[in-house]
Amino acid sequence: MADRTYRAAPPDALCVEPLGDLTLIFDRRSTQTHIVVAPMPEILAAMGADGCNAAAVAARLAAAFDLGDADGAQALVAERLVELAELGLVAPV
């Protein structure tokens, strides 16, 4: 399966509030609040305004965190990007 490219929601569309181990993400566009855990907020932050695929996001995260197995990290990021797309917080490009 190809490593699909996604674009994160514009920063002004989301209000992100860490709450202990949880993070609340209020999407102003849909008026929905999503409750997520790591690595979802870290993935969104790593994406920035660029269109990114799982490999690019995993590389950015690896620069800040010890991810261990690069292939495993990329696969995990790919799965989380699909979930973020289902929530409407990222969109396929």
Side-chain angles (χ1 to χ4, degrees):
M1 181 180 191
D3 191 3
R4 192 167 199 178
T5 301
Y6 294 88
R7 184 173 309 279
D12 62 342
L14 304 178
C15 178
V16 179
E17 284 295 325
L19 187 63
D21 290 339
L22 303 175
T23 299
L24 305 178
I25 302 175
F26 176 70
D27 187 344
R28 290 181 175 96
R29 301 163 304 166
S30 67
T31 68
Q32 291 184 336
T33 300
H34 305 281
I35 303 171
V36 299
V37 297
M40 298 297 217
E42 292 81 4
I43 289 171
L44 285 172
M47 291 180 75
D50 302 333
C52 297
N53 60 18
V57 175
R60 291 176 185 180
L61 290 172
F65 303 100
D66 179 17
L67 300 183
D69 174 31
D71 290 335
Q74 182 176 335
L76 180 123
V77 169
E79 291 172 6
R80 298 297 84 81
L81 285 170
V82 169
E83 292 172 2
L84 287 166
E86 290 170 353
L87 295 174
L89 299 175
V90 302
V93 178

